[in-house]
Amino acid sequence: MAQDEGATRQQILDVAARLFREKGYAATTQREIAKRCGIQAPSLYYHFASKDELLLEVLDFGIERIFSAVRDAVERLPEAAPIERKVRAAAHAHLESFFVYGDYTATNIRVFGQAPKAVQKKNLALRDAYERYWAELFEQGRKRGEIRRGAHLGLVRLFLLGALNRTVDWWDEEGALGLEAIADRFTEILFHGIAPAERAPARERAQPAIRRES
Amino acid sequence: MAQDEGATRQQILDVAARLFREKGYAATTQREIAKRCGIQAPSLYYHFASKDELLLEVLDFGIERIFSAVRDAVERLPEAAPIERKVRAAAHAHLESFFVYGDYTATNIRVFGQAPKAVQKKNLALRDAYERYWAELFEQGRKRGEIRRGAHLGLVRLFLLGALNRTVDWWDEEGALGLEAIADRFTEILFHGIAPAERAPARERAQPAIRRES
DNA sequence: GTCTATATTCAGATAGAC
DNA sequence: GTCTATCTGAATATAGAC
């Protein structure tokens, strides 16, 4: 952890995340990681005790980044903000992390399932904490009466996060759809559905001031 | 394709699908596939020209099963059935395929991204056809006025399929949630959202007879 | 249709010099 | 902190017998 190894260590993590994301865990060799860092494979062992440990750090770092991005985005809103607004901000931050820390977060989504059991287990504490944060967000919404009583909050969370996480497989930076637009649309579908609006201006009365501030 | 090799061939595919799903492509060895089939590794080459070809067959088979299950489920409904009903049936069939052909479909979801480029490319035609089927379903819904005009149909599809596909990572056969319940809930969220019901009985008028027949 | 034997390549990891 | 040299095991794939 000395200062002069910081740069290299971070570089190794970056390169490893990139390769894990692209090729999976087993297919990524330490030789290739080292080569892209301009060093020899055995030199990696000065920084990491094993390939497994390297993967674990990539996974943990990814969750930490995404978690703190989401928490910051929500906390930037007033505590009393409508839950739909909070969810939209959280979804946007979650997607934004895919872009900023793309290789780390994508490794979490794609590679976690193939990681050695021991690595999965160590990474799980962080993942659970993040899931719990979302769960609490939705619980808050229901307590306030902003989510209908019949909704299965666990499935609601899995629905949204599942859809968000899948975006790493199709989203294209150059494409027409920005991450904010995706977060907006997904949140709107989640809260209001795609069925045609009911006759009246009923929704606007029932859900005042929730939409489109940003 | 002689009859007496049929059993073994299928057995190899089954075992391979299982291992690909669990460990990923690169981490799955032909030695282990062969071992679980009770034969030696080189014997696999009588049935498949390479490991890549084996993977391709697993991927293709998975999409074929899921596609035909979904199409059958939709076609079992009257052509004029509400689109929500069709989507619910399709979602249910999609999830059901995870159970019946779980290793094949899970391999598609988890391993496709790490497959060699050549394999991905060959598998892509089938995948595209399946996506198109869903796209047409939603387009039909919009033409009929059963989906609101402002909805971005591409995102609607990605939203639902993304969430459905992610279930392979958390669904537990012994758990409390049945696949049909998940399909029902997801479809209901997709069409009606989780915001509290609007005052009036407006929805029941606007969307007659769509809910809960099964 | 499956076998044994083997060629070839390459993986993760260690030892020890600098 | 990085190197060279190397150990050890294991991977895909081929050759050719049965």
Side-chain angles (χ1 to χ4, degrees):
Chain A
M1 307 290 162
Q3 264 164 320
D4 46 340
E5 66 162 287
T8 305
R9 189 185 163 84
Q10 189 61 49
Q11 188 193 8
I12 293 169
L13 282 169
D14 286 352
V15 168
R18 175 92 189 255
L19 289 170
F20 289 153
R21 169 199 194 150
E22 284 173 2
K23 312 170 58 157
Y25 181 59
T28 298
T29 66
Q30 299 183 151
R31 281 169 161 80
E32 186 166 3
I33 295 171
K35 190 179 173 187
R36 295 206 188 183
C37 292
I39 59 177
Q40 295 299 313
S43 305
L44 295 174
Y45 284 85
Y46 176 79
H47 302 277
F48 301 94
S50 67
K51 193 185 175 190
D52 280 15
E53 197 193 280
L54 184 49
L55 174 62
L56 179 61
E57 287 220 31
V58 169
L59 290 173
D60 281 355
F61 185 79
I63 300 283
E64 279 163 15
R65 295 334 300 166
I66 209 167
F67 191 178
S68 71
V70 166
R71 193 165 32 198
D72 288 354
V74 172
E75 287 176 358
R76 221 172 287 128
L77 296 173
E79 161 69 18
I83 212 67
E84 181 173 353
R85 182 119 191 260
K86 290 187 179 178
V87 168
R88 185 161 64 230
H92 183 209
H94 185 100
L95 289 180
E96 206 68 52
S97 305
F98 288 173
F99 177 64
V100 183
Y101 302 102
D103 297 325
Y104 291 89
T105 50
T107 297
N108 262 284
I109 292 161
R110 290 188 180 167
V111 176
F112 176 82
Q114 296 160 3
K117 287 281 172 289
V119 174
Q120 287 189 8
K121 201 169 171 183
K122 283 181 188 162
N123 181 236
L124 216 52
L126 265 172
R127 296 172 84 88
D128 285 348
Y130 182 55
E131 288 269 327
R132 234 178 296 125
Y133 184 81
W134 275 93
E136 283 161 14
L137 207 58
F138 284 118
E139 278 161 22
Q140 184 184 67
R142 179 145 74 183
K143 271 185 198 143
R144 291 184 185 173
E146 294 175 32
I147 292 176
R148 74 177 59 163
R149 277 192 312 280
H152 186 302
L153 293 191
L155 279 182
V156 169
R157 189 186 78 244
L158 289 163
F159 192 36
L160 180 61
L161 281 174
L164 288 176
N165 284 340
R166 270 274 135 189
T167 59
V168 297
D169 286 332
W170 56 263
W171 187 68
D172 171 20
E173 197 180 334
E174 266 94 47
L177 282 162
L179 292 175
E180 187 157 18
I182 296 172
D184 282 359
R185 296 281 194 158
F186 278 10
T187 307
E188 184 161 358
I189 294 171
L190 186 72
F191 277 84
H192 304 291
I194 62 172
E198 289 79 14
R199 242 143 266 273
R203 164 166 303 130
E204 294 304 320
R205 271 189 290 123
Q207 299 275 308
I210 302 192
R211 340 185 78 176
R212 284 301 111 70
E213 294 90 348
S214 56
Chain B
M1 308 289 161
Q3 265 164 322
D4 45 340
E5 67 164 287
T8 304
R9 190 184 162 83
Q10 189 62 48
Q11 188 194 6
I12 293 169
L13 282 169
D14 287 351
V15 168
R18 176 92 189 256
L19 288 171
F20 289 154
R21 169 200 194 148
E22 285 174 0
K23 312 169 59 156
Y25 181 60
T28 298
T29 66
Q30 299 183 150
R31 279 168 161 78
E32 187 165 5
I33 295 171
K35 190 179 175 188
R36 295 205 188 181
C37 292
I39 59 177
Q40 295 299 312
S43 303
L44 294 174
Y45 283 84
Y46 175 79
H47 303 277
F48 301 94
S50 68
K51 194 184 173 189
D52 279 15
E53 197 193 280
L54 184 49
L55 174 62
L56 178 61
E57 286 220 32
V58 169
L59 290 173
D60 281 355
F61 185 80
I63 301 282
E64 279 163 16
R65 296 333 301 163
I66 209 168
F67 192 179
S68 71
V70 165
R71 193 166 32 199
D72 288 355
V74 172
E75 287 176 357
R76 222 172 286 129
L77 295 173
E79 161 69 17
I83 211 68
E84 181 173 353
R85 186 124 188 258
K86 290 188 179 179
V87 167
R88 184 162 63 231
H92 183 210
H94 186 100
L95 289 179
E96 204 69 53
S97 304
F98 288 172
F99 178 65
V100 182
Y101 302 101
D103 296 326
Y104 291 90
T105 51
T107 297
N108 261 284
I109 292 161
R110 290 187 180 170
V111 176
F112 175 81
Q114 295 160 4
K117 287 280 169 290
V119 174
Q120 286 189 9
K121 201 169 171 183
K122 282 182 188 162
N123 182 236
L124 214 54
L126 265 172
R127 296 173 85 89
D128 285 348
Y130 182 56
E131 287 269 327
R132 234 177 296 124
Y133 184 81
W134 275 93
E136 284 161 12
L137 208 56
F138 285 117
E139 277 161 23
Q140 184 183 68
R142 178 144 74 182
K143 272 184 198 144
R144 291 185 185 173
E146 293 174 33
I147 293 177
R148 74 177 60 161
R149 277 191 312 281
H152 186 301
L153 293 191
L155 279 182
V156 168
R157 188 185 81 245
L158 289 164
F159 192 36
L160 179 61
L161 281 175
L164 289 175
N165 284 339
R166 271 274 135 188
T167 59
V168 297
D169 286 331
W170 57 262
W171 186 67
D172 171 21
E173 196 180 334
E174 265 93 49
L177 282 163
L179 292 175
E180 186 157 18
I182 295 172
D184 282 0
R185 296 280 195 160
F186 277 12
T187 307
E188 183 160 0
I189 294 171
L190 186 72
F191 277 84
H192 303 292
I194 62 171
E198 289 78 15
R199 243 140 265 272
R203 164 164 303 128
E204 293 305 318
R205 270 189 291 124
Q207 300 275 306
I210 302 191
R211 340 185 78 175
R212 285 301 112 69
E213 294 90 347
S214 58

